[in-house]
Amino acid sequence: MSEKSDAELAAALAEEQTFDYIIVGGGTAGSLLANRLSHGGKKRVLMVEAGRRDDYHWIHIPVGYLHCIGNPRTDWLYNTEPEPGLNGRSLRYPRGKTLGGCSSINGMIYMRGQARDYDHWAQLTGDDTWRWDNALAAFKYHEDHYKLDGDPSEVNANFKRFHGHHSQHKQYKLAVRKLGGEWRVEKQRLRWDILDAFAKAATQAGIPATDDFNTGDNEGVGYFEVNQKEGWRWNTAKAFLRPTCYGRPNFEMWTMAQVNRLVIEAHDDPTGQTRQRCTGVEVWSGYEMTVATARCEVILCAGAIGSPHILQRSGIGPGALLHQHGIPVLQDLPGVGANLQDHLQIRSVYKVNNVPTLNTLANSWLGKAKIGLEYAFKRTGPMSMAPSQLGAFTRSDPSQPHPNIEYHVQPLSLDAFGEPLHNFPAFTASVCNLNPTSRGTVQLKSPRMEDAPAIAPNYLSTPQDRQVAADSLRVTRRIVGQPALAGYKPEEWKPGVQFQTDEELAKLAGDIATTIFHPVGTTKMGRADDPMAVVDSRLKVRGVAGLRVVDAGVMPTITSGNTNSPVLMVAEKAAEWIVADNR
């Protein structure tokens, strides 16, 4: 056999490093896209994930979020800048750094949001494909809901709503190979007397009971549905990557591989004009820097913090910010890293009597042993718990046109996630403003990928948000004051009944509030005449061909609820568009 020349070896290596699609991020959106884009075997797909595989046992035990948040094995370990609205405090800002991304460390709550969220997106983008009815079809396409177990007709109905009646569509076999899609939704596997009492108190306070938060109008009180399967966390790596993608010869995955920057090249389009095109990514493997090339598209799925950070390091973002750090401006997009929105939860803690809570059950080695044995043999009990079990959606005051606050209620209390439980029986009623008007930023601090960006959510920076904060604390007090809880003698331990005025309560909110881990909006989609829009309604980056963003950053406004499953809906739609554009 003749030896290959250096040129031939270089060409062979370049071909090996060339793919049709490169997906940056193996998290919520990236996992679904990898599944959809590698289907059929015709396109070569690379997924690049900065974290490790999801083989850490605490990822899969529901209560293991306590061991994953703040753990470098699974978390980027971000912190916010000191926040004026939080009286100078800086918050821990968890983001998943492992396969499955935030779906591997989050609260597992399945929540679509409200119909008005998506109708508003359609209005902001001028694209009716984002309206609720269209979004709902995309949600249902990958949903595997326990309520539909044993009803195969629903699979075909969902398929037709999303794809029409084209039974030969490339995804048809995926849709009908089993009942439902890949994203499992189940009831929780435990209940608590104190939470049942809180739910009854909420109805006494005028909040209707509900067993379904996902109809498009989520007003009511009830137990959350969760992304679990038989007592285990169901993350997107299990749902969409394993085993489907792993067995496809056209799919390749690099883990512990961080994208340094996008490769942007100038090219002449058919009209003779010179335009920018993303042709690949520069990746640090831990040993060397390598370049992977994309024939069709690079798709950023690094999240509302990671994606704008990568764009900025690559010369795409606010010109003045890039100049400040010595980065050549390839595309001046002022919206990159702007428009950050998040749900800020205000955690009221109430001491109680004559009722068990997790504080009392887990305050001894015997109690811990009982909890562990129940989970080991039944997959039930506190170890199967999502961080929040009971939810409620209502209005912060009667003048609100729709439910604008959400409760996450827990049969436990602690100073912060990762801290020990208190040594007295208590429950926590956390309430968040679903539609904050405050807007923050994500901005690079240096051109180095090792340096975390400056995350400044700018919480409670508007009079409207401070008023909702004060009013929501009063709603909490009104619920807890109902007869259903009276037998447990609830005592407000935090913030404390001595605080009553709007000013006092807003300031107290700044003292005790923390993120509920829902950052969105930093690469928002919008109309062509919106100077702050980063991507169009089909998620293509403005002024740069071959590049899309598909993650929570594209949301122009935050959804009225937990954000993980809406990201999957966005990715489902994006997959259709990407395939259609690159046939």
Side-chain angles (χ1 to χ4, degrees), residues 31 76-77 116 162 187 260 299 440 445 512 548 550 565:
S31 295
W76 281 94
L77 303 180
R116 64 184 178 85
F162 193 42
K187 290 194 298 185
N260 180 42
I299 305 136
K445 291 182 178 179
I512 66 175
R548 290 187 214 232
V550 183
S565 289

Side-chain angles (χ1 to χ4, degrees), residues 350-353 427 480-482 485-492:
Y350 287 85
K351 292 183 176 180
V352 289
N353 295 277
F427 70 88
V480 176
Q482 298 300 317
L485 281 165
Y488 302 133
K489 301 177 182 178
E491 175 191 345
E492 184 176 317

